[in-house]
């Protein structure tokens, strides 16, 4: 990777950004815009259209029209596959440009952004391009005089609401399977990370996706997101973000057309280290990476570190040492380990968690403060608390920032009880040399994803989804396709 090219791209002026409706860039119906503030320096980077309810309704109507006339679903699978591959090619060709634009908008460190954003998005789109002509219907094992057929149909119009932490990766997790199955989509990027995703939407059109099949509206969740949720013409809503918004989307669905709602929400994922871990130093390195990368703004972040009592002090000291060696700062420098917090609001919330943890009696081992304030950007030290009780706020509420809470445990049973004592169930890990213990923990810890002797990094071949209040449904893998198809029975008398 080339720092010189990154530094050249970071100086580019960013033109104002409009909606994408029916293949055209369109301003908000009332002409309103909103500022995009860069978390790198707190300065206005550009503006985006501040969408109105009318804009969202226009995008949905366009998507409905595109679906009904079958301009996309009606194309031969090979043709759709070609468009999606061409889109992935274009994302790869523009990878650095997309990554730098995204980092200027959301603050992720560039090394991670390149892999996790355009890199992952292109791979996801290719995966579903390859999958689309391998999804067959079924013939039911009926009696002789009937034929029972099960067709797999696109659902129609998909509404996709995306968060700010990994807009391209998470966007592709929704767009890839939705478009592969022949649906039309209306996309709603997050207020604080829309630029790279909107650019990726442009590239879909350059790749030959027919106008109207993929529409995107920027603006406030409470306005355009709500209008999408309440629409009578959106068939499926797919969402990644907070539990608060997830609840609202379920209410919107109940108040409108009872659309299907799939939620990928937050977590409070336990990273459980036993004294018999095969390599405690590696476990410490990965524990630090698993919570501090992208300044902790990762849905599966290992934000609760459960450490067996006999190794607790030495292990925590090692994680703290690693945390202190991680360079916080300019996310566009290849030397940075921890980039910016996405917004001033998010930074303030993180610091409030620090205050609460201290007030509740946890011990601050390292970090806890804002740094590099003179840059105008939103930076925070990697922060570790010990003595976090299982009931403490820091053990129960998702921070979504670089804050790790450590809790000791004595036995396997106690580790399981602590691990399962939250409303969440997204991810977790166990570090042990015992094969039997590893399998017992996989079974007993209530999560959608369990890691053994590693943390994070699961590729697109496996599903990601939570249990409990971490959500429902799955992104990634062939299982994700289920969200974007309807089963239709044909019962034929012979
Ligand atoms: P958020 O819920 O505030 O926003 C997410 C999206 O929802 C944004 O696009 C926003 O504009 C939109 N939105 C907000 N209010 C809305 C409303 N009333 N109606 C419709 N849409 C609305 O969450 P966030 O702050 O952007 O993201 C952080 C949260 O997302 C964290 O809790 C994190 O754990 C979670 N997250 C989960 C995963 C996962 O895969 N499970 C991945 C990333 C982030």
């Amino acid at each position: 990777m080339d720092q010189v090219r990154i530094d050249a791209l970071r100086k580019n002026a960013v033109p104002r950004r409009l909606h994408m409706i029916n293949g055209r860039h369109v301003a908000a119906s009332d002409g309103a815009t909103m500022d995009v503030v860069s978390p790198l320096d707190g300065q206005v980077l550009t503006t985006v259209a501040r969408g109105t309810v009318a804009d969202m309704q226009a995008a949905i109507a366009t998507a409905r029209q595109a679906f009904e006339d079958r301009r996309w679903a009606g194309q031969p699978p090979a043709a759709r596959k070609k468009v999606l591959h061409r889109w992935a090619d274009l994302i790869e060709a523009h990878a650095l440009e997309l990554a730098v634009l995204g980092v200027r908008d959301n603050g992720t460190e560039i090394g991670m952004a390149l892999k996790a954003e355009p890199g992952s998005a292109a791979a996801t789109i290719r995966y579903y391009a390859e999958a689309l002509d391998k999804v067959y219907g079924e013939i039911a094992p009926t009696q002789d005089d009937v034929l029972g057929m099960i067709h797999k149909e696109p659902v129609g119009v998909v509404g996709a609401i995306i968060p700010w932490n990994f807009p391209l990766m998470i966007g592709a997790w929704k767009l890839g399977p939705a478009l592969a199955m022949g649906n039309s989509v209306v996309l709603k990027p997050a207020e604080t990370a829309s630029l790279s995703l909107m650019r990726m939407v442009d590239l879909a059109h350059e790749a030959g996706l027919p106008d109207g099949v993929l529409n995107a509206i920027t603006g406030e969740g409470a306005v355009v997101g709500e209008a999408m949720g309440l629409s009578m013409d959106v068939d499926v809503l797919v969402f990644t973000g907070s539990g608060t918004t997830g609840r609202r989307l379920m209410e919107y669905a109940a108040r409108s057309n009872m659309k299907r709602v799939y939620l990928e929400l937050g977590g409070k994922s336990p990273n459980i280290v036993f004294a018999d871990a095969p390599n405690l130093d590696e476990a410490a390195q990965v524990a630090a990476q698993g919570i501090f990368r992208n300044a902790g703004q990762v849905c599966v972040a290992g934000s609760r570190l459960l450490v067996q009592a006999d190794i607790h002090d030495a292990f925590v000291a090692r994680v703290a040492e690693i945390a202190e060696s991680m360079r916080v700062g300019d996310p566009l420098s290849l030397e940075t380990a921890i980039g910016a917090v996405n917004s001033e609001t998010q930074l303030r919330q993180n610091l409030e968690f620090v205050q609460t943890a201290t007030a509740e009696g946890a011990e601050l081992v390292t970090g806890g403060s804002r740094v590099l304030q003179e840059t105008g950007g939103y930076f925070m030290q990697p922060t570790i608390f010990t003595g976090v009780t299982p009931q403490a706020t820091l053990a129960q509420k998702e921070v979504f920032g670089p804050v790790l809470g450590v809790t000791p445990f004595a036995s396997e049973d106690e580790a399981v009880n602590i691990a399962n004592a939250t409303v969440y169930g997204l991810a977790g890990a166990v570090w042990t040399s015992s094969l039997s213990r590893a399998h017992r923990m996989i079974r007993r810890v209530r999560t959608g994803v369990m890691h053994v002797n590693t943390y994070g990094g699961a590729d697109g071949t496996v599903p990601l989804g939570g249990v409990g209040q971490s959500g429902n449904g799955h992104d990634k893998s062939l299982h994700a396709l289920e969200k974007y198809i309807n089963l239709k029975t044909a019962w034929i008398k012979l």
Side-chain angles (χ1 to χ4, degrees):
M1 231 186 308
D2 182 350
Q3 188 68 58
V4 176
R5 284 180 63 212
I6 293 168
D7 288 340
L9 283 167
R10 77 186 295 162
K11 295 198 190 99
N12 284 354
V14 182
R16 81 189 169 123
R17 179 69 225 201
L18 304 178
H19 303 315
M20 171 68 82
I21 304 177
N22 207 16
R24 272 166 210 86
H25 293 140
V26 182
S29 59
D30 61 3
T33 61
M34 53 197 231
D35 287 345
V36 175
V37 174
S38 174
L40 279 58
D41 55 11
Q43 299 295 310
V44 175
L45 190 55
T46 185
T47 62
V48 296
R50 184 187 291 271
T52 61
V53 170
D55 296 338
M56 180 52 77
Q57 288 169 345
I60 293 168
T62 302
R64 171 60 57 193
Q65 176 60 39
F67 182 71
E68 297 302 336
D69 68 21
R70 295 186 66 75
R71 71 185 76 161
W72 175 240
Q75 288 190 23
R80 282 188 280 135
K81 179 192 275 204
K82 206 179 248 181
V83 170
L84 293 181
H85 273 303
R86 222 182 285 138
W87 188 19
D89 292 343
L90 286 171
I91 293 169
E92 281 167 354
H94 292 82
L96 197 61
E97 170 213 321
L98 285 164
V100 171
L101 182 62
V103 170
R104 292 171 81 190
D105 200 1
N106 85 340
T108 303
E109 48 280 359
I110 185 74
M112 184 179 204
L114 254 173
K115 270 191 241 132
E117 286 282 274
S120 155
T124 297
I125 287 158
R126 282 197 201 291
Y127 180 91
Y128 292 107
E130 284 305 323
L132 71 81
D133 56 1
K134 297 165 190 75
V135 176
Y136 290 79
E138 295 164 21
I139 305 280
T142 53
Q143 65 211 37
D144 262 4
D145 59 348
V146 287
L147 176 62
M149 299 174 75
I150 304 164
H151 293 268
K152 293 185 176 172
E153 297 186 324
V155 290
V157 176
V158 172
I161 302 180
I162 310 299
W164 41 261
N165 53 344
F166 293 103
L168 300 189
M169 176 173 79
I170 296 173
W173 287 349
K174 322 285 190 202
L175 294 176
L179 293 171
M181 291 298 98
N183 297 283
S184 294
V185 180
V186 180
L187 186 67
K188 152 68 185 91
E191 290 85 329
T192 55
S194 50
L195 299 176
S196 57
L197 189 51
M198 293 300 281
R199 179 78 186 111
M200 194 166 93
V201 169
D202 290 346
L203 295 178
H205 290 82
E206 279 179 38
L209 192 70
D211 292 347
V213 174
L214 172 57
N215 307 277
I217 299 291
T218 51
E220 291 162 290
V223 177
V224 288
E226 181 177 279
M228 180 189 277
L230 287 171
S231 169
M232 298 298 286
D233 230 2
V234 170
D235 301 292
V236 168
L237 207 49
V238 288
F239 171 74
T240 296
S242 65
T244 308
T245 305
R247 252 177 233 283
R248 289 206 176 103
L249 297 180
M250 293 177 107
E251 282 174 23
Y252 298 154
R255 281 164 51 198
S256 54
N257 62 345
M258 296 190 280
K259 55 181 73 63
R260 276 162 32 195
V261 179
Y262 295 104
L263 306 173
E264 302 276 354
L265 308 174
K268 197 76 219 182
S269 298
N271 186 10
I272 308 167
V273 184
F274 285 90
D276 69 353
N279 182 337
L280 282 169
D281 196 63
E282 188 189 348
Q285 293 279 359
V286 176
Q289 295 290 330
I291 177 64
F292 297 131
R293 283 187 324 167
N294 200 18
Q297 302 164 131
V298 179
C299 56
V300 297
S303 54
R304 287 188 296 151
L305 181 61
L306 312 190
V307 188
Q308 201 155 26
D310 13 349
I311 57 162
H312 175 275
D313 293 357
F315 190 79
V316 173
R318 182 69 186 122
V319 179
E321 193 181 12
I322 295 161
E324 284 161 11
S325 73
M326 293 174 87
R327 186 161 157 175
V328 182
D330 178 10
L332 287 170
S333 162
L334 288 166
E335 284 169 16
T336 291
I338 302 175
V341 172
N342 176 254
S343 64
E344 200 165 11
T345 310
Q346 192 67 32
L347 177 64
R348 189 171 6 94
Q349 283 170 15
N350 293 349
L351 296 172
E352 281 167 12
F353 271 103
V354 171
Q355 281 176 0
T356 305
T358 308
E360 290 182 2
E363 187 193 333
L364 183 65
V365 179
T366 188
S369 302
R370 179 177 186 176
V371 284
L372 301 170
Q373 199 159 350
E374 66 282 6
T375 63
Y378 314 132
F379 299 98
M380 182 172 171
Q381 294 169 315
T383 299
I384 302 177
F385 280 97
T386 50
V388 177
T389 64
Q391 303 74 33
T393 304
L394 195 55
Q396 291 294 324
K397 296 251 185 293
E398 183 181 50
V399 179
F400 217 59
V403 184
L404 178 66
V406 189
T407 306
F409 66 87
S411 65
E412 198 175 300
D413 281 346
E414 194 188 5
V416 170
N417 288 339
I418 297 171
N420 288 342
T422 75
V423 297
Y424 295 112
L426 188 55
V430 53
W431 294 79
T432 178
S433 295
S434 161
L435 186 63
S436 303
R437 171 179 279 156
H439 282 287
R440 282 195 301 272
M441 295 297 283
I442 291 169
R443 287 186 184 168
R444 295 180 70 194
V445 179
R446 276 197 307 270
T447 61
V449 179
M450 271 303 272
H451 306 88
V452 177
N453 296 333
T454 187
Y455 202 100
D459 71 15
T461 62
V462 287
L464 170 65
V467 298
Q469 291 183 32
S470 287
N472 60 0
H474 293 95
D475 281 325
K476 308 200 300 175
S477 84
L478 296 179
H479 292 284
L481 296 172
E482 291 155 21
K483 297 193 287 192
Y484 306 100
I485 52 181
N486 283 333
L487 297 183
K488 176 187 252 174
T489 294
W491 188 256
I492 304 167
K493 182 94 178 74
L494 299 179

